[in-house]
Amino acid sequence: MIAPSLLSANFLKLEDEINMINKSKADLFHLDIMDGKFVPNITFGFGIIKQIKKVANKPLDVHLMIDEPDRYLSEFKEAGADYLSVHYETCSHLHRTIFAIKELGMKAGVVLNPHNPVELLYEIVDDVDFFLLMSVNPGFGGQKFIPRTIEKISKLRNKIEQNNSKALIEVDGGVGLNNASQLADAGADILVAGNSIFGSDNPLDTISKLKEIIK
Ligand code: DX5
Ligand code: ZN
């Protein structure tokens, strides 16, 4: 699947950008929620998500980069999240958080920062709907892909298969046409792309090309 990250969209023309994604071959809208504490940047909250939900015709994949995400799980559901992911680094009781997300009726995802070993996720392979491996340090769009992520994807893919789990692997940060096939070969299921889509001359065409690679 392809999940364009609206972080790189033109917010003055957000409705046009959403309509472009609506008619594209993309599968999800990736929304980055940052609190200025867990990550050194602040984005947007419930009001904007609700507005996006009114126009978007594909599921919303909401990536929380906030401390203590448990405080707000039901608010994100109400705002329109379909997929909700929390960082491993922000949850003391991750297992409880995953099940709370599922009970609210959303797909539950766990995100891992680049410095953390992928083995930290092994105990929850049977519990989550998807994993999100960060391939840049979270906080900003347009950063350079960290190549070691490829090995982490392969390891996680093997573990998922060993367990007969249905968990998907999403990759986020510095993803584009230059590395998409490597990521797909390593076992990625969902590619998040911000700058490589919205910064390209023809976003619709870039999405089609990415989709061709990952399907
Ligand atoms: C970074 C965000 C990403 C970001 C990706 O913290 O989680 O979703 O928008 O942007 P690109 O694809 O430009 O690296
Ligand atoms: Zn993201």
Side-chain angles (χ1 to χ4, degrees), residues 130-143:
F130 67 106
F131 289 109
L132 173 44
L133 296 180
M134 289 309 301
S135 39
V136 299
N137 286 297
F140 303 94
Q143 302 181 81

Side-chain angles (χ1 to χ4, degrees), residues 5 7-8 30 32 34 63 65 134 136-143 172-175 192-196:
S5 167
L7 191 62
S8 299
H30 185 83
D32 291 297
M34 306 185 188
H63 172 192
M65 285 158 273
M134 289 309 301
V136 299
N137 286 297
F140 303 94
Q143 302 181 81
D172 185 6
V175 173
V192 177
N195 199 51
S196 67

